[in-house]
């Protein structure tokens, strides 16, 4: 079984640390990658972190995960609330899926309350800041180690 976990990030998450820090915090995606890699390594796994502003690129990466990753942690950004195509790609993936939102989407505008991805996800994280990514990685490693 693959020991790799993909961490996928959708639109605008390349601006993490600069974008609305009052909502998303001061840490960058590089910081997230460093911490998740250290955690995964300590648990005997590896991560690959991706970010794209383009829906098709995210779908291509989910399709690649079919061959290369045992779990996906995905923060689809605004595509969470719009993309049936990302849901379809995740439905064609057999591994574990964790949906991760930095902010508590349920406390925000009503258009953020619906997620197309949640119905496929094995777990959903929202409002734990960037620590949520590490919590998802920890959970994925724990389930994959059983
Ligand atoms: C987000 C929440 C989404 O509603 C928003 O569009 C994002 C980030 C989060 O991590 O809290 O881009 O997924």
């Amino acid at each position: 079984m693959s020991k790799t976990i993909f961490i996928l990030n959708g639109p605008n998450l390349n601006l993490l640390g600069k974008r609305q820090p009052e909502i998303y915090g001061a840490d960058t995606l590089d910081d997230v990658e460093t911490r998740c890699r250290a955690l995964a390594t300590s648990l005997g796994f590896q991560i690959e972190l991706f970010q794209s502003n383009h829906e098709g690129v995210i779908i291509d990466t989910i399709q690649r995960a079919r061959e290369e990753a045992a779990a996906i942690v995905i923060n689809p950004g605004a595509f969470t609330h719009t993309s049936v195509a990302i849901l379809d790609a995740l439905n064609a993936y057999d591994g574990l899926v964790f949906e991760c939102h930095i902010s508590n989407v349920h406390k925000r505008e009503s258009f953020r309350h619906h997620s197309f991805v949640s119905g496929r996800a094995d777990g959903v994280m929202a409002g734990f800041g960037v620590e949520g990514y590490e919590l998802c990685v920890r959970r994925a490693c724990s389930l994959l180690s059983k």
Side-chain angles (χ1 to χ4, degrees), residues 17-124:
K18 298 185 199 128
R19 167 201 188 200
Q20 296 180 281
E22 68 286 2
I23 296 177
Y24 299 112
D27 290 323
T28 66
L29 211 49
D30 282 348
D31 296 329
V32 171
E33 182 170 18
T34 301
R35 284 197 225 126
C36 286
R37 177 157 295 126
L39 174 64
T41 303
S42 75
L43 297 171
F45 288 83
Q46 57 201 27
I47 60 133
E48 286 186 40
L49 186 140
F50 305 90
Q51 188 278 330
S52 178
N53 293 324
H54 305 279
E55 190 174 17
V57 175
I58 295 166
I59 291 163
D60 287 344
T61 311
I62 294 169
Q63 290 187 7
R64 193 146 69 73
R66 286 160 51 88
E67 307 301 326
E68 297 181 20
I72 294 174
V73 175
I74 183 165
N75 182 350
F79 290 146
T80 307
H81 320 297
T82 62
S83 181
V84 175
I86 288 177
L87 171 63
D88 284 350
L90 290 170
N91 280 335
Y93 171 72
D94 285 335
L96 294 168
V97 174
F98 294 97
E99 177 182 354
C100 181
H101 299 286
I102 299 161
S103 65
N104 181 0
V105 282
H106 301 289
K107 205 177 166 189
R108 300 180 64 192
E109 303 96 321
S110 58
F111 63 82
R112 295 185 203 276
H113 296 178
H114 177 259
S115 164
F116 282 100
V117 172
S118 295
R120 164 62 182 91
D122 297 290
V124 180

